[in-house]
């Protein structure tokens, strides 16, 4: 029987909706979103394809629909609470990033997966971009040897998109959360390729562009983490809003005992570069090429998502279904423990920043004995979640932003979306 899938959050979820409409091994049965025009787009697509898809405005109604699994494409800071509800309902879950906003949520999420026995996969799409997935596969072949050092970056200069992303809402999660919390886009491909887990992190906040603060009320500077892995290797991760238009937002490098892998930093380069040493130390050969993911390629092309996030928007939901069905390609799905590793590195990196860039140990929450210390750890920049454990959104000083500034950004959003 095909898994019946629902999607919560139709704006970001539209890419997954397109995949499930095209992939014959799953059935899209329900979509939920509070934004009616977006739901109408789903209705139009379903009618065009002759599909019967139920549409809901409220999650409480949506979760009662007869289905087997849910894709969570709602607000990034709200994935864990909804994932827990779905798992406790007996539903498989694919969660968009981030996995959790707090350490307490990370513990609750893991334990919800364990007691439910259901599939949880993490849709960290950067891991499935063709060049990052090539790294993953090449590393697993073993010729390169163990990782020694790695660098990763996700530079998203989103200042021009800020009105569409935040709607001029001062309480939107993007206006509250520091980029350190959104670390999985950079760290994810390194963790998945090497199979290593983090044991320590030191965090930094890079100085922000003052024009971003002045023009779009973007409080935070970019985030940087220095992560120590369980074999002693070190990873430098950087992500956030730095000026980098018209070239790749992503870059990954892994230096190993027997060679190196790098992704193409600029658009005029090949996407993947690998150096492998020969029998004589210091002498080897380079390969440079544009990788192609061959797994289910026909279906990926049919979904229309081969160019969407370098193919990643097809493979995250595809591997979710493969995992549910118990098929071999389900091995590429990212599980809850790996998802939490990626996410809590950012949470703890921000803690490091606020405490003078001190090293912070990263717990292995696979071990139940390490969980109790974090069950009541709600520290984050969201007041409704943190309570009296609220932390700031930036470590840099700034003058209070008047509501008039957010109203101005709101007007830009309305103009950009044709609502004015």
């Amino acid at each position: 029987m095909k898994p019946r899938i629902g999607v919560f959050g139709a704006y970001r979820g539209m890419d997954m909706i397109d995949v499930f409409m095209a992939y014959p091994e799953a059935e899209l049965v329900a979509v939920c979103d509070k934004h009616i025009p977006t739901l109408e787009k789903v209705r139009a697509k379903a009618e065009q394809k002759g599909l019967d898809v139920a549409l809901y405005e409220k999650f409480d109604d949506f979760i009662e629909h007869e289905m087997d699994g849910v894709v969570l494409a709602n607000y990034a800071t709200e994935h864990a609470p909804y994932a827990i509800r779905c798992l406790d309902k007996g539903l498989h879950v694919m969660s968009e990033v981030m996995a959790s906003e707090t350490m307490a949520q990370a513990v609750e999420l893991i334990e919800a997966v364990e007691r439910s026995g259901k599939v949880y996969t993490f849709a960290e799409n950067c891991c499935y971009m063709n060049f990052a997935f090539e790294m993953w596969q090449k590393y697993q072949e073993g010729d390169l040897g163990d990782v020694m050092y790695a660098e990763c970056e996700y530079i998203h200069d989103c200042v021009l998109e800020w009105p569409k992303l935040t709607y001029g809402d001062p309480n939107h999660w993007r206006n509250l959360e520091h980029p350190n919390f959104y670390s999985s886009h950079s760290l994810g491909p390194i963790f998945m390729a090497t199979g290593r887990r983090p044991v320590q992190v030191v965090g930094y906040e890079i100085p922000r562009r003052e024009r971003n603060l002045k023009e779009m009320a973007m409080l935070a500077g970019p985030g940087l983490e220095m992560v120590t892995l369980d074999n002693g290797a070190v990873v430098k991760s950087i992500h956030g809003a730095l000026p980098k238009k018209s070239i790749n937002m992503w870059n990954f490098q892994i230096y190993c005992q027997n060679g190196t892998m790098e992704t193409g930093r600029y658009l005029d380069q090949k996407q993947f570069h690998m150096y492998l040493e020969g029998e004589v130390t210091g002498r080897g050969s380079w390969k440079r090429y544009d990788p192609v993911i061959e797994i289910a390629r026909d279906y990926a092309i049919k979904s229309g998502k081969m160019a969407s996030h370098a193919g990643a928007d097809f493979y995250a939901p595809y591997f979710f279904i493969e995992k549910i069905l118990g098929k071999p390609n389900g091995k590429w799905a990212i599980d809850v423990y790996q998802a939490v590793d990626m996410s809590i590195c950012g949470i703890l990196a921000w803690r490091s920043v606020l405490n003078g860039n001190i090293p912070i140990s990263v717990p292995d929450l696979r071990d139940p004995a390490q969980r109790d210390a974090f069950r009541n750890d709600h520290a984050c920049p969201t007041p409704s979640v943190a309570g009296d454990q609220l932390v700031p959104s930036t470590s840099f000083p700034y003058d209070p932003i008047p509501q008039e500034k957010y109203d101005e950004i709101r007007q830009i959003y309305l103009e950009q979306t044709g609502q004015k």
Side-chain angles (χ1 to χ4, degrees):
M1 180 179 176
K2 297 179 183 179
R4 299 163 298 176
I5 304 298
V7 176
F8 179 41
Y11 181 78
R12 172 65 189 108
M14 196 66 75
D15 289 316
M16 296 78 161
I17 288 167
D18 288 341
V19 170
F20 292 128
M21 285 184 172
Y23 185 51
E25 297 292 331
E27 180 184 2
L28 179 71
V29 296
V31 175
C32 179
D33 199 293
K34 64 183 180 181
H35 190 239
I36 305 303
T38 305
L39 279 183
E40 289 303 318
K41 290 181 181 179
V42 177
R43 186 191 307 278
K45 286 191 175 191
E47 289 177 352
Q48 183 180 19
K49 295 179 180 293
L51 300 175
D52 182 16
V53 179
L55 304 178
Y56 296 94
E57 297 175 44
K58 297 180 180 180
F59 182 83
D60 288 348
D61 297 328
F62 165 75
I63 198 174
E64 296 300 326
H65 193 92
E66 288 292 328
M67 52 191 172
D68 305 300
V70 171
V71 171
L72 297 176
N74 53 320
Y75 280 171
T77 51
E78 298 178 2
H79 292 142
Y82 285 96
I84 292 164
R85 286 188 62 183
C86 291
L87 291 161
D88 286 345
K89 185 75 171 174
L91 299 171
H92 304 295
V93 170
M94 184 181 92
S95 172
E96 264 287 346
V97 299
M98 54 189 80
S100 69
E101 186 184 16
T102 69
M103 297 299 294
Q105 287 179 2
V107 171
E108 292 170 14
L109 175 63
I110 285 174
E111 293 184 342
V113 173
E114 290 176 344
R115 68 174 173 262
S116 73
K118 295 299 178 179
V119 167
Y120 172 99
T121 68
F122 192 47
E124 178 37 79
N125 56 43
C126 287
C127 296
Y128 301 118
M129 292 175 177
N130 50 19
F131 44 82
F133 195 60
E134 185 77 357
M135 274 190 161
W136 188 349
Q137 294 178 96
K138 289 298 181 185
Y139 189 95
Q140 294 301 314
E141 290 175 2
D143 293 339
L144 289 161
D146 208 6
V147 59
M148 301 166 61
Y149 172 74
E151 294 186 5
C152 47
E153 64 182 48
Y154 172 73
I155 306 302
H156 192 175
D157 185 13
C158 54
V159 63
L160 296 180
E161 303 167 65
W162 207 245
K164 285 186 178 181
L165 293 172
T166 65
Y167 327 127
D169 179 2
N171 296 312
H172 191 281
W173 71 268
R174 292 179 186 272
N175 282 325
L176 296 176
E177 218 77 2
H178 186 270
N180 276 125
F181 282 75
Y182 208 74
S183 59
S184 65
H185 275 349
S186 50
L187 289 172
I190 304 300
F191 289 0
M192 296 311 299
T194 65
R196 293 294 180 180
R197 60 163 299 272
V199 296
Q200 178 179 281
V201 62
V202 179
Y204 299 88
E205 181 176 21
I206 298 167
R208 63 177 168 244
R209 297 179 77 193
E210 290 303 316
R211 64 190 300 177
N212 289 2
L213 176 63
K214 180 180 179 181
E215 296 173 9
M216 292 297 166
M218 296 172 67
L219 297 178
L224 186 147
E225 299 95 23
M226 297 297 295
V227 179
T228 303
L229 302 180
D230 57 359
N231 70 334
V234 177
V235 181
K236 183 185 79 172
S237 165
I238 182 171
H239 41 90
L242 290 166
K244 196 180 180 184
K245 286 292 183 187
S246 301
I247 56 176
N248 280 351
M249 296 189 292
W250 309 277
N251 182 62
F252 304 99
Q253 302 175 45
I254 303 178
Y255 295 86
C256 305
Q257 292 286 343
N258 303 323
T260 301
M261 291 185 290
E262 301 181 7
T263 59
R265 184 180 292 268
Y266 300 107
L267 295 180
D268 58 353
Q269 294 180 338
K270 295 294 184 182
Q271 292 182 320
F272 184 77
H273 307 253
M274 186 173 77
Y275 168 75
L276 185 62
E277 284 199 329
E279 294 182 2
V280 178
T281 301
R283 295 183 182 177
S285 59
W286 279 96
K287 292 182 179 180
R288 299 176 174 88
Y289 56 93
D290 293 324
V292 174
I293 303 177
E294 297 294 347
I295 298 171
R297 185 167 178 80
D298 290 346
Y299 291 129
I301 293 172
K302 184 179 178 182
S303 74
K305 296 301 168 186
M306 286 303 293
S308 179
H309 284 110
D313 284 336
F314 170 78
Y315 284 101
Y318 168 75
F319 291 134
F320 173 49
I321 300 301
E322 292 288 286
K323 187 72 172 179
I324 292 173
L325 294 174
K327 293 189 175 183
N329 281 330
K331 69 179 182 179
W332 300 108
I334 301 169
D335 69 27
V336 69
Y337 306 108
Q338 296 159 330
V340 164
D341 281 345
M342 298 177 201
S343 297
I344 66 174
C345 266
I347 296 170
L348 297 175
W350 187 234
R351 194 162 301 182
S352 169
V353 171
L354 297 179
N355 287 277
N357 312 109
I358 62 171
I360 302 284
S361 295
V362 181
D364 183 359
L365 296 180
R366 296 166 181 78
D367 178 7
Q370 297 189 42
R371 298 173 188 171
D372 285 347
F374 302 99
R375 290 189 187 279
N376 297 306
D377 189 334
H378 306 290
C380 69
T382 303
S384 60
V385 175
D388 59 6
Q389 298 178 40
L390 186 68
V391 297
S393 302
T394 179
S395 64
F396 299 131
Y398 65 95
D399 294 327
I401 297 173
Q403 180 60 44
E404 290 77 8
K405 183 61 186 178
Y406 291 109
D407 293 341
E408 177 186 322
I409 297 169
R410 174 74 178 176
Q411 289 304 309
I412 297 173
Y413 158 69
L414 294 173
E415 292 170 5
Q416 287 180 343
T417 56
Q419 299 182 58
K420 180 183 177 182

